[in-house]
Amino acid sequence: MNNNKVISSEKIVLETHPDVSILKTYDNDQLIRECNRLNIPREQYEASNDEDKNRLFMINEILRLNPPFPKIQKPILLNSEYDEYTMTKTNTMKYIKHIINDGKYSHSVINTESYQLLLEQGDLANRDKENLLNNIRNEINLINVNDYKTKDDILRFACGDGGTSGVKYRRACILNKLVIENMKNNKKFIRPRITHFDISTY
């Protein structure tokens, strides 16, 4: 299945680190500051009694550690739509491609594209899992975490709305993490440890 579609395309110019022509205009103090910023050992850029060799070394090291090109960026998933009737999914992605001409950075092209792919059962399972976790987080956002300090408090919340033991355990784990973070400055606080057995016997 190859139903890709370009939704938008934009040309931009990104800021880059100085190239060799700019670095050659730097005086020694500027080059040394750049070396210090990049943690280049002093004994390396002062190794020679020849000042020109030291300058060349500093410039080459700066270019090696900070090449004058934008960083390569991975594709970004903007949206994913599932059609269970046709068992297809449409992913909307953002791609950034850097254009290099004659060894120099020219510009970047940002494309937003959509792809239609086959929908698998694993995709549906992942979606349902993410929806469940988001629902639990939204529910926890509505409660006062200060009211939950003990293992029993957490289990009461986790098991209060029924559901499978797996759902209860996820509810307990998410709340427990927030409780631990909320109580981290209380020296008397005993960190709750929630197990599947605790859930099954509550």
Side-chain angles (χ1 to χ4, degrees), residues 170-182:
R170 290 186 186 280
R171 288 164 59 85
C173 288
I174 294 174
L175 178 57
N176 192 28
K177 184 177 180 180
L178 291 176
V179 169
I180 292 170
E181 177 64 23
N182 190 51

Side-chain angles (χ1 to χ4, degrees), residues 185-202:
N185 294 324
N186 187 335
K187 294 182 179 179
K188 296 182 179 180
F189 173 68
I190 299 176
R191 178 173 178 167
R193 181 173 179 271
I194 311 294
T195 67
H196 288 282
F197 179 77
D198 295 324
I199 298 292
S200 66
T201 58
Y202 184 81

Side-chain angles (χ1 to χ4, degrees), residues 9-16 68-73 95-111 113:
S9 184
E10 179 185 4
K11 178 180 176 180
I12 63 171
V13 177
L14 300 172
E15 290 188 7
T16 62
F69 310 111
K71 290 183 178 179
I72 296 175
Q73 300 184 37
Y95 299 91
I96 302 179
K97 181 179 181 180
H98 305 309
I99 307 302
I100 310 296
N101 291 327
D102 297 327
K104 291 186 177 182
Y105 169 67
S106 173
H107 61 277
S108 300
V109 177
I110 301 177
N111 283 342
E113 304 177 13

Side-chain angles (χ1 to χ4, degrees), residues 1 7 77-93 113-120 123-124 127:
M1 183 174 291
I7 298 173
L77 177 63
L78 301 177
N79 188 40
S80 189
E81 296 181 356
Y82 293 175
D83 186 336
E84 295 182 53
Y85 181 75
T86 60
M87 286 302 288
T88 58
K89 65 178 177 181
T90 303
N91 288 344
T92 302
M93 309 285 295
E113 304 177 13
S114 66
Y115 295 86
Q116 194 173 74
L117 307 167
L118 292 176
L119 183 60
E120 300 178 357
D123 296 318
L124 297 176
R127 180 199 61 182

Side-chain angles (χ1 to χ4, degrees), residues 144-155:
N144 185 355
V145 179
N146 292 324
D147 294 336
Y148 297 83
K149 298 181 174 67
T150 67
K151 182 175 182 175
D152 191 67
D153 292 336
I154 296 170
L155 287 171

